[in-house]
Each structure stands twice: as C-alpha cells, then as structure tokens.
Amino acid sequence: LEECYNFWGAQAFATDDPYTKGLCLYLGLGVQRDDLRAMEFFERGAEHGSVEAMNRLACMYALGQAGRGNIVLAAKWYT
C-alpha cells in the first residue's frame, strides 16, 4: 500500500494501523478501490479493538459489500 502511504503521509502510518489502510482501500484514496481487501484490514483492526474498524466492518457486512452479506457477522461487529 505504498500509494496509500504517500497519500496520507508517514505520520498516518507510523502505527501501522489496519483501519487507516482499510479506509484507503474502501475509499480509493491513493489506491484502487477494493472492498474485499478493505474488509480484511477492517477485520484486523476490529480484532485488535478498533471501534471504527468494528463499525465499518459491521456496515459492510450488513450492506453485503464485497459479496459478503452476513447479518450475523454484522450484528457481531456493531458496537
């Protein structure tokens, strides 16, 4: 995700935050938009306690984005 790094700058990636990387992929900021890869980064962030990642992941599951509609997983990640 070098392009995303260049878009956000070094400070944003100092902590290697999976939520920020997922957001880049989800919004297509500096990289090609990729919902599936974004979900993978959001899941990593959610598993490490990121409330933002949990909520974004829950919304994506609820809306069936990236072909992964799952109301049970959406309910799991809503905080």
Side-chain angles (χ1 to χ4, degrees):
L1 292 172
E2 184 68 26
E3 296 85 359
C4 189
Y5 174 88
N6 291 335
F7 182 86
W8 285 100
Q11 190 173 16
F13 279 81
T15 61
D16 199 32
D17 177 31
Y19 173 74
T20 304
K21 291 179 180 180
L23 195 59
C24 278
L25 289 161
Y26 182 73
L27 298 174
L29 299 174
V31 295
Q32 184 172 345
R33 187 179 153 94
D34 187 336
D35 286 349
L36 186 58
R37 285 187 66 209
M39 285 183 86
E40 292 169 1
F41 278 104
F42 290 147
E43 190 155 6
R44 283 187 218 162
E47 289 170 351
H48 287 95
S50 168
V51 175
E52 294 90 351
M54 290 177 196
N55 285 317
R56 181 73 65 175
L57 187 59
C59 289
M60 292 182 80
Y61 276 125
L63 296 172
Q65 291 178 303
R68 292 183 152 186
N70 187 323
I71 198 68
V72 174
L73 288 175
K76 172 187 173 181
W77 290 114
Y78 272 122
T79 59

